Amino acid sequence: MGRERMKIQRPLEARKASPLVVSLSAVFLGIVAGCVFILCIGKNPFVGFERILFGALSNVRRIGNTLGMSTQLILIGLSVAFAFKTGLFNIGASGQMLMGGITGSILAYYLPLDMPRVIYLPIIIVASMAAGAVWGFISGFLKAKFNVHEVVSTIMLNWTAYWIVYDFIPRFIIDPTISVKSKPIDTVHTLRADWLTDLTQFSTLNYGFILAIIMCVVVWFILQKTTLGFNLKAVGSNRFCAEYAGIKVNRSIMISMAIAGALASLAGLTYYCGYSNIMEMGKMPNEGFDGIAVALLGNCSPVGIFFSAIFFGILKMGRGSLAATGIPTEIADTIIATIIYFTATNVILASFWNNIFKSRFERSEEAARLAMAKHGDDTPIASLSRKRFKEYAKEGRAYLKEGKEVR
Amino acid sequence: MGFWSVITSIIPSAIAYTIPILMGALGGLYSERSGVTNLCIEGLMLFGVFSAAATIVKLQAIPGFSFVLAIVIGILVAMAASALLSLLHAFAAINLKANQVISGTAINMLSTAVTLFLAQTITGSGNITIVRGIIRQNVPVLSKIPVIGPLFFTSTYWTTWICLLIWGLSWFLLYKTSFGLRLRACGEHPSAVASAGVNVRKMRYIGVIASGLLSGIGGACILVTYAGEYNAGSGINGLGFLAIAALIFGQWKPLGILGSTFFFGLCMTIANMGKVFPIFQSIPTGYLGMFPYIATLIALIFSSRKSAAPLASGEPF
């Protein structure tokens, strides 16, 4: 017996603001704020943004570098989003990045150089993901068992990781000539690939970008198609309801933070063993915080994260070309921070658009009524199809216009 | 170096580290007690450091201008600047009903970026170093008292006493006045307060602005006491988050946070004084550096389970 899908027609009503519209509004407001800042120091904002686009996209190499920068942002965005779906706010991506980076760097330093890459690459990827997973798990464990707020614990773990790296660089991988940096990793032991490097004329683009795309698919699959993903999301939307339904809330919190940590540490691996190839003592990676912006702007969906990461990659890579204009490069960070501020207020942005849509709908409704009265059609508006409604509204508006002209 | 002399040099330094954290935590106390989760103490304090540094550098460059007056003006400017920044958080949290955790994070990032942006515009580098901070002084008479004198009244900063006074006044304001009762009630059960005819939004604005003012003082204290510079690279090393941890550890009570911030101040001293004391010299810098953060985590494990957080903190009204 074939299942017949009954088509339910939703009653016709005003459109609701989609997440895309809300995100684009936040981007718009962020860019406006950036323009205001540039104007405040007496520079031309259009020149500034032109330079940013030039610096990020003007040739193959620059595009490659932008994608290389976006790689980290995609992975961290995924990490933050994954935790967010379980109702957790992971602002410890910086620390998890450092843990992944230091694990990868130490292995790259000590594993033999003639090792086949097919074996070598999986080893460093798995090892650094494990390190980050442990780092994330600590926060999840503290949250689940001791009710320690994850925002505070992840920040504390960030600084702990910072000092661990500070200690490990001189201990294991120091560059004797520059005593505050690690020795650059040999290219065969990084994530860089000859064909990618050739294709983009020696940019920083590496296998990490492909890993990031794979991870987008994996995260989408876990969240949308598996029981685990369903459980995690259930905990995120209502902890108590999920508990009542028999979902192990504490276990979900720990798993979610561990996966988030693994994703962020993969970002650290691509950053320190693919993008920059060295680690510095006493440097907290900013990308951990940018990832929050990526996740929020991308509405925590893998596709959204991919595109918003590329957008932030353009901002972060393109700012290097600002030097000649006299605009401080921090303008990019200012814009990113402003965008987060506005995405935090998404309720207001959404209701702003909803009001616009609603008043537009009401005007069309009035016009459509007029047209329907002329045609003698007395179906209620709510059960009209959108196409039919639009036709009536158009006709009605024409009548209204005529009426005005006559008057 | 004897044990006693180690103690007498650790304690004054611990007090110096305690005061900024105490101010940050007290700011957080006002905000959270009024019902607004405030994770942007870090950003507010950093903004205080920056604006005090910029002001003091400009004033101290004027020949013949009193150094002390420059510092006083610097602290006041820091308070005003941080209060302005906190208004952004208040507006998002109270009027726009934003997610307060995200809004706080945005303020932190905004503060880091804007201060660096302005520092680049003003000095052309990421650092602003002031000519002279506050000179440590012994308190007359009191520093002669045995035991207590050398521990608490020798080589102190005058800001320490002002901050402790603010702490005392805050305790009085929050627990002994009707205003304090209303503010605390806004964080527990805002609709009950509203039905009694109190303007909850106004109270919450006051709470958040107070956190801005106090974090501003805290930031300025970091600058004029032990740091002496605004450094974009390290910011304030997560001190604002230590303040939030101290708030949780101190169970959202003034006396509690005084104790917990002193504990963190002591940890910070141990982390930073490793090079000075021979007993710590064998421990690598990295281990000492991570000590306060690990101590915080352990402290949180013991204090977070039965949380005394204000019930309505983080809930828009």
Side-chain angles (χ1 to χ4, degrees), chain A residues 176-200:
Chain A
T177 51
I178 315 164
S179 57
V180 291
K181 287 184 181 170
S182 70
K183 196 163 167 286
I185 300 169
D186 213 291
T187 316
V188 291
H189 264 194
T190 63
L191 294 179
R192 296 210 183 166
D194 287 338
W195 63 275
L196 277 174
T197 314
D198 290 342
L199 189 71
T200 56

Short mmCIF file of all heavy atoms in Angstrom, two decimals, chain A residues 176-200:
data_model
loop_
_atom_site.label_atom_id
_atom_site.label_comp_id
_atom_site.label_asym_id
_atom_site.label_seq_id
_atom_site.Cartn_x
_atom_site.Cartn_y
_atom_site.Cartn_z
N PRO A 176 66.51 26.97 17.71
CA PRO A 176 67.61 27.56 18.50
C PRO A 176 67.98 28.98 18.08
O PRO A 176 68.48 29.75 18.88
CB PRO A 176 68.78 26.61 18.26
CG PRO A 176 68.29 25.52 17.40
CD PRO A 176 66.90 25.79 16.97
N THR A 177 67.69 29.34 16.81
CA THR A 177 68.08 30.68 16.38
C THR A 177 67.11 31.76 16.85
O THR A 177 67.50 32.87 17.16
CB THR A 177 68.22 30.75 14.85
OG1 THR A 177 67.02 30.22 14.27
CG2 THR A 177 69.40 29.94 14.37
N ILE A 178 65.81 31.42 16.86
CA ILE A 178 64.82 32.38 17.39
C ILE A 178 64.22 31.71 18.61
O ILE A 178 63.41 30.81 18.49
CB ILE A 178 63.69 32.66 16.38
CG1 ILE A 178 64.26 32.90 14.99
CG2 ILE A 178 62.84 33.84 16.83
CD1 ILE A 178 63.24 32.80 13.89
N SER A 179 64.59 32.20 19.79
CA SER A 179 64.27 31.39 20.96
C SER A 179 62.82 31.49 21.44
O SER A 179 62.47 30.90 22.44
CB SER A 179 65.22 31.75 22.10
OG SER A 179 65.09 33.12 22.35
N VAL A 180 61.96 32.24 20.77
CA VAL A 180 60.57 32.26 21.23
C VAL A 180 59.64 31.54 20.26
O VAL A 180 58.43 31.52 20.44
CB VAL A 180 60.05 33.71 21.42
CG1 VAL A 180 60.73 34.36 22.60
CG2 VAL A 180 60.22 34.53 20.16
N LYS A 181 60.22 30.93 19.22
CA LYS A 181 59.38 30.25 18.24
C LYS A 181 59.80 28.80 18.09
O LYS A 181 60.92 28.44 18.44
CB LYS A 181 59.50 30.94 16.87
CG LYS A 181 58.80 32.27 16.82
CD LYS A 181 58.88 32.85 15.44
CE LYS A 181 58.19 34.20 15.40
NZ LYS A 181 58.44 34.91 14.17
N SER A 182 58.87 27.98 17.56
CA SER A 182 59.24 26.60 17.30
C SER A 182 59.95 26.54 15.95
O SER A 182 59.86 27.47 15.14
CB SER A 182 58.00 25.72 17.26
OG SER A 182 57.25 26.01 16.11
N LYS A 183 60.66 25.43 15.73
CA LYS A 183 61.36 25.25 14.47
C LYS A 183 60.32 25.03 13.38
O LYS A 183 59.39 24.26 13.56
CB LYS A 183 62.26 24.02 14.60
CG LYS A 183 63.33 23.89 13.58
CD LYS A 183 64.38 22.88 14.08
CE LYS A 183 65.30 22.47 12.95
NZ LYS A 183 64.66 21.56 11.99
N PRO A 184 60.46 25.74 12.22
CA PRO A 184 59.46 25.53 11.16
C PRO A 184 59.39 24.06 10.76
O PRO A 184 60.42 23.39 10.65
CB PRO A 184 60.00 26.38 10.01
CG PRO A 184 60.89 27.37 10.63
CD PRO A 184 61.46 26.73 11.85
N ILE A 185 58.17 23.58 10.54
CA ILE A 185 57.99 22.17 10.21
C ILE A 185 58.38 21.95 8.75
O ILE A 185 58.08 22.77 7.89
CB ILE A 185 56.52 21.76 10.42
CG1 ILE A 185 56.13 22.00 11.88
CG2 ILE A 185 56.29 20.31 10.05
CD1 ILE A 185 54.66 21.88 12.11
N ASP A 186 59.07 20.84 8.50
CA ASP A 186 59.44 20.48 7.14
C ASP A 186 58.18 20.32 6.29
O ASP A 186 57.20 19.72 6.74
CB ASP A 186 60.20 19.14 7.20
CG ASP A 186 61.26 19.10 6.14
OD1 ASP A 186 60.89 19.02 4.95
OD2 ASP A 186 62.43 19.16 6.51
N THR A 187 58.22 20.85 5.04
CA THR A 187 57.00 20.87 4.23
C THR A 187 56.35 19.50 4.07
O THR A 187 55.12 19.39 4.09
CB THR A 187 57.28 21.47 2.84
OG1 THR A 187 58.09 22.61 3.04
CG2 THR A 187 56.00 21.85 2.14
N VAL A 188 57.16 18.43 3.95
CA VAL A 188 56.52 17.12 3.77
C VAL A 188 55.76 16.68 5.02
O VAL A 188 54.93 15.78 4.96
CB VAL A 188 57.54 16.00 3.43
CG1 VAL A 188 58.09 16.21 2.04
CG2 VAL A 188 58.63 15.89 4.46
N HIS A 189 56.04 17.34 6.15
CA HIS A 189 55.32 16.99 7.37
C HIS A 189 54.19 17.95 7.70
O HIS A 189 53.60 17.90 8.77
CB HIS A 189 56.29 16.87 8.55
CG HIS A 189 56.71 15.46 8.77
ND1 HIS A 189 57.35 15.04 9.89
CD2 HIS A 189 56.57 14.37 8.00
CE1 HIS A 189 57.58 13.75 9.81
NE2 HIS A 189 57.12 13.33 8.66
N THR A 190 53.90 18.88 6.79
CA THR A 190 52.76 19.76 7.01
C THR A 190 51.57 19.20 6.22
O THR A 190 51.68 18.18 5.54
CB THR A 190 53.03 21.18 6.51
OG1 THR A 190 53.25 21.13 5.11
CG2 THR A 190 54.24 21.77 7.21
N LEU A 191 50.46 19.91 6.33
CA LEU A 191 49.28 19.50 5.57
C LEU A 191 49.31 20.05 4.15
O LEU A 191 48.39 19.85 3.39
CB LEU A 191 48.01 19.99 6.26
CG LEU A 191 47.69 19.40 7.63
CD1 LEU A 191 46.43 20.01 8.17
CD2 LEU A 191 47.54 17.90 7.54
N ARG A 192 50.39 20.75 3.81
CA ARG A 192 50.44 21.33 2.46
C ARG A 192 50.62 20.23 1.42
O ARG A 192 51.26 19.22 1.67
CB ARG A 192 51.59 22.32 2.37
CG ARG A 192 51.36 23.48 3.28
CD ARG A 192 51.97 24.73 2.78
NE ARG A 192 51.75 25.76 3.79
CZ ARG A 192 52.37 26.92 3.79
NH1 ARG A 192 53.24 27.20 2.84
NH2 ARG A 192 52.12 27.80 4.73
N ALA A 193 50.05 20.48 0.25
CA ALA A 193 50.17 19.50 -0.83
C ALA A 193 50.72 20.22 -2.04
O ALA A 193 50.33 21.35 -2.31
CB ALA A 193 48.80 18.92 -1.15
N ASP A 194 51.63 19.55 -2.76
CA ASP A 194 52.27 20.20 -3.91
C ASP A 194 51.25 20.69 -4.92
O ASP A 194 51.35 21.81 -5.42
CB ASP A 194 53.24 19.22 -4.59
CG ASP A 194 54.47 19.02 -3.73
OD1 ASP A 194 54.75 19.92 -2.91
OD2 ASP A 194 55.14 17.98 -3.88
N TRP A 195 50.26 19.85 -5.19
CA TRP A 195 49.32 20.25 -6.25
C TRP A 195 48.51 21.47 -5.84
O TRP A 195 48.22 22.35 -6.66
CB TRP A 195 48.44 19.09 -6.69
CG TRP A 195 47.52 18.54 -5.63
CD1 TRP A 195 47.83 17.61 -4.70
CD2 TRP A 195 46.16 18.89 -5.42
NE1 TRP A 195 46.74 17.36 -3.90
CE2 TRP A 195 45.70 18.12 -4.34
CE3 TRP A 195 45.27 19.77 -6.05
CZ2 TRP A 195 44.40 18.22 -3.85
CZ3 TRP A 195 43.97 19.85 -5.57
CH2 TRP A 195 43.56 19.08 -4.46
N LEU A 196 48.18 21.57 -4.54
CA LEU A 196 47.44 22.76 -4.09
C LEU A 196 48.33 23.98 -4.10
O LEU A 196 47.92 25.07 -4.48
CB LEU A 196 46.90 22.52 -2.67
CG LEU A 196 45.58 21.74 -2.58
CD1 LEU A 196 45.25 21.47 -1.13
CD2 LEU A 196 44.46 22.52 -3.24
N THR A 197 49.59 23.79 -3.67
CA THR A 197 50.54 24.91 -3.63
C THR A 197 50.80 25.42 -5.05
O THR A 197 50.82 26.62 -5.29
CB THR A 197 51.86 24.46 -2.99
OG1 THR A 197 51.54 23.72 -1.81
CG2 THR A 197 52.72 25.63 -2.60
N ASP A 198 50.96 24.48 -6.01
CA ASP A 198 51.20 24.90 -7.40
C ASP A 198 49.99 25.59 -7.98
O ASP A 198 50.08 26.62 -8.64
CB ASP A 198 51.55 23.67 -8.26
CG ASP A 198 52.93 23.14 -7.89
OD1 ASP A 198 53.69 23.90 -7.26
OD2 ASP A 198 53.22 21.97 -8.22
N LEU A 199 48.84 25.01 -7.71
CA LEU A 199 47.60 25.54 -8.26
C LEU A 199 47.39 26.99 -7.84
O LEU A 199 46.93 27.82 -8.62
CB LEU A 199 46.43 24.68 -7.75
CG LEU A 199 45.06 24.93 -8.36
CD1 LEU A 199 45.04 24.41 -9.79
CD2 LEU A 199 43.99 24.22 -7.55
N THR A 200 47.75 27.31 -6.58
CA THR A 200 47.47 28.65 -6.07
C THR A 200 48.75 29.48 -5.96
O THR A 200 48.79 30.44 -5.21
CB THR A 200 46.79 28.57 -4.70
OG1 THR A 200 47.64 27.79 -3.84
CG2 THR A 200 45.45 27.92 -4.77
#
